[in-house]
Amino acid sequence: MMTEVINTIETELNQTFDELFKWFDIDYELLNYTPDNKGWNIRRILEHISLTNHYLLMLISKGARKALERAKKEDFMGSLINYDLDWARLKVIGEHKSFEWSRPGHTEPRGKIRVAEIRQELEQQLKQCHTHLLALQRGEGVLYKTMMSVNNLGKIDVYHYIYFLIQHAKRHITQMERVEVEFNLGVS
């Protein structure tokens, strides 16, 4: 069961980051185009994703460390028998504008980070996620839960947090696609 959960997370993680990395290859005008609603341009969206990932990975790293410590002391294999990631509840996070949320100020993009640095940060974050999944491959990630206030998710374990990170990126990929559509309509 846990192998299937972890494989699904890894597959979506890779697919989502592959999609994110494609956005670094777009032309300069599209990258910096500000939509009519005065929302973020694609460059700022990518920066926001990397900033949010940074803070999520702080929680994920702490959770992974504590889960591994608990795994040394507790027999947790029985709790894995009926484990469910609750995929549907987390997939809502990946849908752009599916719920109201006031983002914390520390995830607000400033537009001052070079695009190459944002990409490098995202590459490092992907590696971190893989490292955590590898370290928690026997199911240890279920042993530590942390409160997630976004969309009233409540206490979620380390696997849920990693899947949340993926869904958050998907949410903003949709946002970038909308900016691209608007840009292309204006260009034609």
Side-chain angles (χ1 to χ4, degrees):
M1 181 64 168
M2 284 314 297
T3 303
E4 186 179 312
V5 168
I6 292 169
N7 287 344
T8 300
I9 293 171
E10 282 193 326
T11 298
E12 285 198 46
L13 179 68
N14 290 330
Q15 290 170 346
T16 302
F17 273 75
D18 284 349
E19 184 64 32
L20 279 177
F21 294 137
K22 290 177 187 175
W23 289 97
F24 289 95
D25 298 326
I26 61 176
D27 65 76
Y28 179 85
E29 290 80 23
L30 174 55
L31 186 69
N32 293 289
Y33 171 76
T34 301
D36 290 339
N37 67 4
K38 303 297 180 216
W40 294 335
N41 60 30
I42 291 172
R43 178 188 178 138
R44 284 185 184 238
I45 295 168
L46 291 166
E47 181 183 348
H48 166 73
I49 294 168
S50 75
L51 289 169
T52 301
N53 287 356
H54 172 79
Y55 290 102
L56 287 171
L57 278 161
M58 289 171 65
L59 296 170
I60 291 166
S61 295
K62 176 184 175 185
R65 188 175 61 255
K66 292 197 176 254
L68 289 168
E69 288 170 11
R70 287 185 181 170
K72 292 176 186 173
K73 302 172 192 164
E74 297 177 29
D75 178 17
F76 62 95
M77 291 301 167
S79 63
L80 301 178
I81 294 169
N82 295 317
Y83 181 78
D84 179 31
L85 192 84
D86 200 1
W87 305 100
R89 201 165 66 114
L90 284 167
K91 284 201 180 282
V92 171
I93 303 304
E95 298 168 13
H96 191 244
K97 297 192 178 203
S98 59
F99 60 91
E100 289 295 318
W101 173 248
S102 297
R103 89 187 66 62
H106 57 269
T107 66
E108 187 81 24
R110 306 283 183 245
K112 300 197 187 294
I113 301 173
R114 290 185 12 239
V115 175
E117 290 176 49
I118 297 169
R119 182 183 185 125
Q120 188 175 31
E121 181 68 19
L122 286 170
E123 289 169 349
Q124 191 59 37
Q125 291 166 348
L126 174 61
K127 287 178 188 171
Q128 268 187 280
C129 288
H130 282 298
T131 299
H132 290 307
L133 288 170
L134 183 62
L136 302 169
Q137 65 185 340
R138 294 182 328 119
E140 298 93 338
V142 304
L143 292 172
Y144 189 79
K145 293 184 178 185
T146 310
M147 186 59 103
M148 172 56 82
S149 57
V150 176
N151 206 29
N152 300 312
L153 288 176
K155 282 196 161 198
I156 59 174
D157 66 34
V158 181
Y159 304 112
H160 283 79
Y161 260 93
I162 295 171
Y163 200 65
F164 179 95
L165 180 147
I166 295 165
Q167 295 305 315
H168 174 262
K170 286 182 179 184
R171 177 183 196 86
H172 289 295
I173 288 170
T174 302
Q175 183 183 7
M176 291 187 290
E177 290 168 346
R178 290 178 180 171
V179 172
E180 181 180 36
V181 166
E182 181 181 312
F183 174 81
N184 288 334
L185 287 172
V187 170
S188 38

